[in-house]
Amino acid sequence: MHARPLRRLSALALCALMLFTMNTAALAADAAQRRREAFLEQLSDLPHYRAELDERYLCYLDSEDYTAEQVLRLVNVNADRSAYGEHEETDVSKGVLMLVNKQNFLGRYKPKDLVSLGACGSWGSMAREARDAFVSLVQGASAEGYRIWGVSPYRSYDLQEYLYESYVSAHGQDEADTYSARPGWSEHQTGLAVDVAVRGESYGDFEGTSECEWMKAHAHEYGFILRYGEGVEYLTGYMYEPWHYRYVGVEAATYIYENDLTFEEYYYYYVVGDESPESPAAAE
């Protein structure tokens, strides 16, 4: 065969290959777009979906770690942002509803109205409103035969720094970050949080006790929530801690308890968000 026909056949083959490649790429792009649209449509059917967060939702399109609902919850509360990296300053003007976590920095804040736990704890103090509510809780539990005891309430920035560094020294930073807050990022520093135990026992032994079950069922009646629940570690940033309770007031605590929310969700939906607890999305 002459060279000219061979060159013509090669050119035709190259054109065919290019067309095939372009068509394959176009089909792949079309399929990817349909997957993105289907994922967002799935999310849009869920309560609290926010279209302005689509790009952040889509970062989890191929995730094998989270369901669609978990992706929505994670992004909605900024838990997709890097811990201790992208963060906001805690809005302390929110009072008992202020948010402190790995994306909300408290700095060297100190409550102005700290009051001793007195006979309701082994040491320390809490912000007055939270302390008074905790005293009522301890008394209410006692009337029913349960021995609730406060073992670790307010911690200063410096105390938290000492504790955190000791945990890092003992277990390494990665592990310490699963259960201990860095200084300036701890709820205990607000004066609104307290670790609880059965009186005379360690808080580490609280799980499985009748007091633990009583707290889970009744703490909201006094304005407290189980802050770091089981199965929502990806939202709260911390391991399950059955002993760690946070005061948010009776109204918020009751809503959080009845709707099985994390405090992060309540805060972003109803405290700084434009939703109300009575909205259709909240009722679903």
Side-chain angles (χ1 to χ4, degrees):
M1 185 176 290
H2 296 294
R4 185 175 295 175
L6 281 175
R7 286 197 295 271
R8 185 178 300 166
L9 286 174
S10 296
L12 289 173
L14 181 59
C15 287
L17 179 60
M18 291 177 61
L19 287 171
F20 175 78
T21 302
M22 292 172 61
N23 287 336
T24 301
L27 289 171
D30 186 56
Q33 180 61 26
R34 288 199 300 271
R35 288 180 57 245
R36 288 193 290 269
E37 291 174 354
F39 183 64
L40 293 177
E41 183 175 359
Q42 184 180 8
L43 291 178
S44 69
D45 289 333
L46 298 173
H48 311 297
Y49 165 73
R50 295 170 57 188
E52 68 272 21
L53 299 179
D54 279 355
E55 290 304 314
R56 288 165 63 186
Y57 294 141
L58 285 170
C59 290
Y60 294 87
L61 176 63
D62 297 314
S63 173
E64 296 181 355
D65 298 324
Y66 304 107
T67 65
E69 180 183 358
Q70 289 173 329
V71 168
L72 181 132
R73 297 175 75 183
L74 181 110
V75 173
N76 282 1
V77 302
N78 290 334
D80 60 319
R81 293 179 175 172
S82 60
Y84 306 117
E86 298 177 82
H87 67 270
E88 301 174 1
E89 300 294 321
T90 292
D91 185 352
V92 298
S93 72
K94 301 301 182 187
V96 300
L97 294 177
M98 71 174 75
L99 176 65
V100 181
N101 61 13
K102 293 179 179 180
Q103 289 80 29
N104 288 267
F105 181 55
L106 191 58
R108 284 191 169 271
Y109 170 85
K110 180 179 179 179
K112 297 179 180 179
D113 57 347
L114 291 171
V115 182
S116 171
L117 285 185
C120 293
S122 54
W123 63 275
S125 57
M126 296 180 73
R128 181 177 297 278
E129 182 179 343
R131 182 264 189 189
D132 291 347
F134 186 67
V135 169
S136 295
L137 181 151
V138 170
Q139 293 173 344
S142 178
E144 297 182 35
Y146 300 97
R147 297 175 298 142
I148 303 297
W149 184 242
V151 295
S152 185
Y154 166 73
R155 299 179 198 153
S156 68
Y157 180 101
D158 293 334
L159 175 56
Q160 188 65 32
E161 183 175 42
Y162 168 78
L163 290 173
Y164 177 76
E165 289 181 353
S166 68
Y167 294 140
V168 170
S169 178
H171 304 114
Q173 188 170 62
D174 288 346
E175 183 175 342
D177 280 338
T178 67
Y179 61 82
S180 178
R182 298 182 185 184
W185 307 81
S186 173
E187 271 206 335
H188 284 280
Q189 195 180 326
T190 66
L192 301 170
V194 61
D195 292 340
V196 298
V198 177
R199 185 164 187 167
E201 299 181 14
S202 167
Y203 70 86
D205 298 322
F206 193 57
E207 175 79 339
T209 65
S210 57
E211 279 79 2
C212 182
E213 296 308 308
W214 186 91
M215 284 292 292
K216 288 179 180 179
H218 298 284
H220 65 282
E221 298 167 5
Y222 299 87
F224 288 86
I225 58 171
L226 175 63
R227 183 64 178 89
Y228 306 125
E230 192 169 16
V232 290
E233 294 87 349
Y234 69 102
L235 298 178
T236 65
Y238 293 100
M239 59 177 271
Y240 168 49
E241 294 188 354
W243 56 81
H244 182 111
Y245 278 81
R246 158 71 190 270
Y247 181 75
V248 295
V250 174
E251 182 179 352
T254 300
Y255 191 85
I256 289 168
Y257 172 80
E258 291 179 347
N259 291 274
D260 194 25
L261 296 174
T262 60
F263 182 58
E264 276 78 7
E265 290 170 298
Y266 185 86
Y267 182 83
Y268 281 108
Y269 298 155
Y270 311 123
V271 180
V272 297
D274 57 5
E275 296 185 39
S276 68
E278 294 76 26
S279 69
E284 292 183 32

